[in-house]
Amino acid sequence: MKSLNKNVLVIIIVITMLFCCLMSSFCSVLSFKYNNPHGHEISDEEILIFPENFLWGAATASYQVEGGNVNSSWWRFEQEEGRIKNGDRTDGIINHYGRYEEDFDLASKLSLNSYRFSIEWSRIEPQKGEFDEKEIEHYRDVLQALKDRDIKPMVTLWHHSVPAWFEDLGGWERGENVDYYTEYVNYVVANLSEEVELWLTMNEPMAYITCGYVSAKWPPAKQDLTQVPGLFSNLTLAHKEAYSIIHEKDANAQVGIAEHSSYIVPYHEKNILENIIASTIDYAWVHYLIDIVKDELDFIGVHYYYKQSINLSLAKDVLTKDPEEIENQSLDRAYYPEGLYEVLLKYKRYEKPIYITEIGVPDYHEIDRNQFIREHVREMYYAIQDGVDVRGFYYWSLLDCFEWSEGYDAEFGLIDVNLETQERTIKDESWEYALIAGCNCVYNDEL
Ligand code: IFM
């Protein structure tokens, strides 16, 4: 009976997804035909000013910056031959765990008033049911160090890395394992909720599913599409449970989820099929999940990095890297600031506050980070003008860090970290962001 129920549930989820995708595509094609809402008017103000109390921050994730997370699934993975580019390792490299005070001093120099970071589940609960007080004390110290500098924390409870024991028990594949996550969340929230108002229950669940179970570039590195519906329903359930736990402890807390949203468009604007595929992927990748958890969301965390085009005239790589887009790429990413405006407008329908919880560019590429940030901030300004309630912007990332299977090849940081000496230096290309954060405004260079 139990397994019958589970199968029925999976079938219902798949049918609902397909139905929603089709409806969304249909509506989007209609709007493409009759009301193409592309772009915005350019302001004639020289300086574009943001709402009061706007949060200007930077983000990191525990596994990518701390080092020494020996009980994580990722630790095991990075020791395996050929998993990480150049055989890069995390231990003793960035060491934010030991140097967070210094890093926050630099964040203050950059005029940041907020910092998004994640708690490492595998530190807090290194073995099933064993909670490590010393580690929760560490994060209490981190929060205190932020408070001393007037930097508001945004805390992610789970950012890609899970304890190895959790993965061994089947991880997010098994519905009953959601309870392990809620026990961990209970423990963290009971200990830290007095110091935290902004929580993210999880980071980019769809990226976790895709990289862990489709491309198999991340642990548990399984290519197994049959797991996808179950993972999806377990993760959305985990979010809902965490939402309730946080609110039971603190009714004023603000709880969100961080979503990876690229700007997906038809390569040929008038090609109906490309339009349908683009909006179907957009719906399945981002909005389906939000539709399911929207009653348990106080805000939405939006990540925007690049544009992707659907080009059916290509023999392969239909979700394309077109030649003129590649020109602007690193990590196979096509930068397109205007896409941020379009993506934000799509979130307007939920009528929830939005924080841009990640946006960033690595620095091995020609793109000037000052310009990159200025242009994206400007697009965010226009989205606010057009009614999207954006309340904060977090650059990814504060520090150069471990870019998962890409190792240290992609250095996104506002702050350079010397990988041998751990010495920190604010990059020249980060100062414009400091100006923006300091004045709560951006220079309008489109005039
Ligand atoms: O480094 C990642 C982060 O962990 C999740 N969002 C995208 C970033 C850059 O690729």
Side-chain angles (χ1 to χ4, degrees), residues 15-26 283 288 291:
I15 291 175
T16 316
M17 263 181 108
L18 284 174
F19 178 73
C20 294
C21 288
L22 280 174
M23 287 314 288
S24 148
S25 307
F26 184 61
Y283 187 76
Y288 179 60
D291 275 338

Side-chain angles (χ1 to χ4, degrees), residues 70-324:
V70 296
N71 294 301
S72 158
S73 57
W74 264 95
W75 180 268
R76 203 161 55 182
F77 192 69
E78 66 170 91
Q79 315 305 316
E80 290 172 18
E81 198 62 33
R83 293 297 196 187
I84 315 290
K85 202 163 171 183
N86 308 322
D88 287 345
R89 297 281 181 274
T90 53
D91 203 23
I93 309 289
I94 306 295
N95 191 17
H96 181 56
Y97 189 85
R99 303 179 79 130
Y100 63 88
E101 295 256 12
E102 184 184 346
D103 294 337
F104 297 163
D105 284 342
L106 295 173
S108 291
K109 271 202 180 155
L110 286 166
S111 303
L112 305 186
N113 60 8
S114 191
Y115 176 57
R116 171 181 172 228
F117 69 100
S118 72
I119 307 261
E120 179 64 32
W121 181 2
S122 68
R123 277 188 185 275
I124 298 291
E125 194 180 0
Q127 303 304 328
K128 179 161 80 76
E130 284 174 25
F131 292 89
D132 189 335
E133 271 179 42
K134 177 171 98 292
E135 296 297 351
I136 204 78
E137 202 51 49
H138 166 78
Y139 290 109
R140 211 176 270 127
D141 293 345
V142 168
L143 288 166
Q144 185 60 46
L146 289 171
K147 197 172 183 180
D148 294 344
R149 292 162 179 80
D150 268 336
I151 299 179
K152 185 176 177 121
M154 176 183 279
V155 172
T156 313
L157 283 158
W158 171 57
H159 192 125
H160 299 331
S161 148
V162 294
W165 62 260
F166 179 76
E167 190 171 275
D168 292 341
L169 290 174
W172 295 110
E173 291 163 32
R174 295 168 63 92
E176 55 272 40
N177 288 354
V178 171
D179 287 349
Y180 294 122
Y181 174 69
T182 56
E183 279 161 29
Y184 152 73
V185 171
N186 248 311
Y187 181 79
V188 172
V189 171
N191 280 283
L192 302 182
S193 74
E194 278 178 23
E195 302 304 334
V196 183
E197 183 198 346
L198 296 172
W199 296 93
L200 287 163
T201 57
M202 57 186 67
N203 181 76
E204 301 174 349
M206 291 305 285
Y208 174 82
I209 294 177
T210 312
C211 297
Y213 290 84
V214 183
S215 70
K217 281 192 340 197
W218 294 0
K222 297 183 179 172
Q223 252 165 348
D224 185 358
L225 283 177
T226 63
Q227 297 287 353
V228 173
L231 288 162
F232 187 86
S233 72
N234 296 337
L235 287 167
T236 47
L237 174 65
H239 165 80
K240 292 179 181 197
E241 302 259 322
Y243 178 91
S244 311
I245 293 169
I246 299 168
H247 275 288
E248 270 161 31
K249 188 80 193 145
D250 176 7
N252 296 321
Q254 297 295 296
V255 184
I257 199 164
E259 279 272 84
H260 191 290
S261 301
S262 49
Y263 178 44
I264 306 179
V265 289
Y267 185 70
H268 306 96
E269 217 183 303
K270 301 217 157 111
N271 182 315
I272 302 268
L273 199 53
E274 286 182 3
N275 269 274
I276 290 178
I277 297 173
S279 48
T280 303
I281 294 180
D282 187 44
Y283 187 76
W285 177 261
V286 183
H287 295 279
Y288 179 60
L289 187 141
I290 300 285
D291 275 338
I292 288 188
V293 300
K294 63 176 182 290
D295 293 337
E296 288 89 10
L297 273 183
D298 302 316
F299 69 89
I300 305 172
V302 175
H303 297 182
Y304 175 72
Y305 283 91
Y306 47 84
K307 167 179 159 187
Q308 287 175 296
S309 308
I310 304 295
N311 187 347
L312 293 177
S313 60
L314 295 181
K316 55 181 186 127
D317 267 349
V318 167
L319 192 56
T320 175
K321 295 124 191 180
D322 293 301
E324 68 265 36

